[in-house]
Amino acid sequence: MKTEPQRCVCSGPVCAKLVPIFTSLSEEDLVLVTSLVKKEFYKKGQALINEGQISNALFIIHYGKVKLSKTTIEGKEQILHLLMHGDFFGELSVFQQNQVSNFTAYALEDTEVCILNRNDLALLMKKHSDISVKIVQEMTNRLSHTENLLQTLATNDAETRLAHLLTYFCEKYGKKTPEGIEILLPITREEMANYIGVTRETISRKLSKFEAEGTVQVDGKRLIVKELSKLYLIN
């Protein structure tokens, strides 16, 4: 069950301007966006929306991390996307009323989201066509990511699957350091296994192999990719 909403600590229109789809709005329209959104707080592990549930809103992540996943016919979890601050989901509801969600969204950590009603967003899109363009661009990026994921899952090579996942983490969460690209892994090894369709033991074994080869350095949830070029070669 979702917890009661908590007070948002964002600073009004300044917060809205940090969301990529709203960066081009005027101060007046940013104030309008801020007045229209409903803020909700979710504890780690809670579902923001369930697969099969009707939604007429856009969810924008204010802080925290969210995973979008489906349940396979075998009853296993298949992670589709990982989202963080400024990312959004539920965009299909913008184009079709009473859209049924084809995924479940879970909070990976304590998370606050700004929820924008479909009708309110439609009015903003009529006034600012670039919002529509940015939403479509993000939908295209996610479709490309899903296609790449499906292509990766089509191979039986566990190393290729893991290399693909780690390069994705580098692009989305990586921070350059003198040692290499540092990642604070956003999901558990069990969830990594679900993401790429292998076992948890395989994840641990392949990470150990990459570490022995000098490609990565693993310290709990902290992982440093020392040789990104090697991952691209595997990938």
Side-chain angles (χ1 to χ4, degrees):
M1 180 182 293
K2 179 170 65 62
T3 61
E4 289 298 316
Q6 291 190 358
R7 182 177 178 81
C8 181
V9 295
C10 68
S11 51
V14 176
C15 177
K17 195 172 183 64
L18 297 177
V19 179
I21 61 173
F22 298 140
T23 51
S24 63
L25 298 188
S26 66
E27 284 297 316
E28 180 182 358
D29 285 326
L30 287 171
V31 171
L32 175 61
V33 169
T34 304
S35 70
L36 292 174
V37 297
K38 177 184 177 184
K39 298 177 179 67
E40 297 281 1
F41 178 82
Y42 297 83
K43 294 291 289 182
K44 178 181 178 180
Q46 286 185 300
L48 286 72
I49 189 170
N50 289 295
E51 188 173 354
Q53 183 179 338
I54 292 176
S55 174
N56 285 307
L58 185 74
F59 293 75
I60 304 166
I61 301 172
H62 176 212
Y63 67 78
K65 292 185 179 69
V66 172
K67 68 175 178 181
L68 308 185
S69 63
K70 290 180 67 68
T71 302
T72 68
I73 57 175
E74 293 85 11
K76 296 182 178 180
E77 179 188 48
Q78 174 60 60
I79 297 176
L80 304 174
H81 299 287
L82 299 173
L83 309 177
M84 56 192 297
H85 168 72
D87 290 334
F88 58 86
F89 63 92
E91 63 275 7
L92 291 181
S93 66
V94 175
F95 304 101
Q96 183 176 339
Q97 192 168 10
N98 295 325
Q99 175 70 33
V100 174
S101 177
N102 61 355
F103 55 77
T104 297
Y106 290 104
L108 288 170
E109 58 189 39
D110 288 358
T111 297
E112 187 172 67
V113 296
C114 299
I115 304 173
L116 191 55
N117 179 274
R118 175 182 183 272
N119 293 332
D120 291 334
L121 181 59
L123 291 175
L124 285 170
M125 290 168 59
K126 284 181 180 179
K127 186 176 180 181
H128 300 279
S129 59
D130 54 323
I131 294 179
S132 305
V133 172
K134 290 178 180 178
I135 289 176
V136 172
Q137 286 175 339
E138 180 58 26
M139 291 172 67
T140 302
N141 291 338
R142 289 187 192 171
L143 178 60
S144 176
H145 171 73
T146 301
E147 289 175 343
N148 290 336
L149 177 61
L150 290 173
Q151 184 177 7
T152 300
L153 293 176
T155 175
N156 290 322
D157 190 317
E159 286 188 20
T160 299
R161 296 186 186 192
L162 181 56
H164 172 86
L165 182 61
L166 293 181
T167 53
Y168 170 60
F169 285 170
C170 283
E171 293 167 3
K172 193 167 181 71
Y173 306 106
K175 180 178 69 175
K176 289 186 178 179
T177 71
E179 299 172 278
I181 301 177
E182 182 183 57
I183 308 165
L184 290 179
L185 295 174
I187 53 179
T188 65
R189 294 192 181 188
E190 182 71 31
E191 289 169 321
M192 288 171 66
N194 291 339
Y195 205 148
I196 60 175
V198 298
T199 64
R200 186 188 184 284
E201 291 73 22
T202 297
I203 291 288
S204 297
R205 187 168 62 251
K206 295 303 179 183
L207 280 177
S208 296
K209 182 175 185 293
F210 287 170
E211 189 167 27
E213 294 171 345
T215 305
V216 304
Q217 177 183 327
V218 184
D219 181 14
K221 295 201 73 171
R222 179 175 176 265
L223 183 145
I224 296 176
V225 177
K226 304 176 76 67
E227 295 285 348
L228 183 59
S229 58
K230 288 186 179 180
L231 289 181
Y232 278 121
L233 285 175
I234 298 171
N235 197 357

